[in-house]
Amino acid sequence: MDETLLKKIDQKIQDSISNKDEIKQLIQLLSNIDDSKSFALGIVVGRIYNAFYYQTKRILDREPTKEEFDEFLEFVKSKKSELDGLW
């Protein structure tokens, strides 16, 4: 995966971790479900997935390839333990 793209995605992951209190406030405001962990995961996944597609288009000026998406998944998988700290 492009190094600049990788750095942007990592930055978005770190932003999500740093802003976990804001994410929790958003969940409390919008959710009346018991499983707030699932709701938080949905917010974080949306942010990271959106960053991947947006930054690929912005940096590489094209849609991501299947191989890049697979690399993206592996990268996110490697960050799973960090993301588990959100909840």
Side-chain angles (χ1 to χ4, degrees), residues 12-84:
K12 186 58 71 173
I13 290 171
Q14 296 309 316
D15 289 348
S16 294
I17 293 167
S18 296
N19 296 328
K20 68 181 177 184
D21 291 336
E22 292 176 359
I23 293 171
K24 287 178 182 178
Q25 286 178 327
L26 184 61
I27 290 166
Q28 289 173 348
L29 178 71
L30 296 177
S31 176
N32 60 0
I33 57 176
D34 292 332
D35 191 5
S36 62
K37 180 178 178 179
S38 293
F39 198 75
L41 181 61
I43 291 170
V44 173
V45 166
R47 290 181 71 171
I48 296 168
Y49 182 78
N50 186 51
F52 169 68
Y53 269 89
Y54 172 79
Q55 294 297 338
T56 300
K57 288 182 177 185
R58 190 181 74 72
I59 294 168
L60 304 177
D61 198 29
R62 62 173 172 76
E63 296 283 328
T65 65
K66 169 75 170 114
E67 291 79 19
E68 288 167 330
F69 184 72
D70 290 342
E71 290 175 24
F72 164 72
L73 291 177
E74 284 301 312
F75 179 73
V76 172
K77 184 178 176 182
S78 75
K79 299 291 185 172
K80 186 178 182 315
S81 63
E82 291 178 53
L83 291 167
D84 284 341

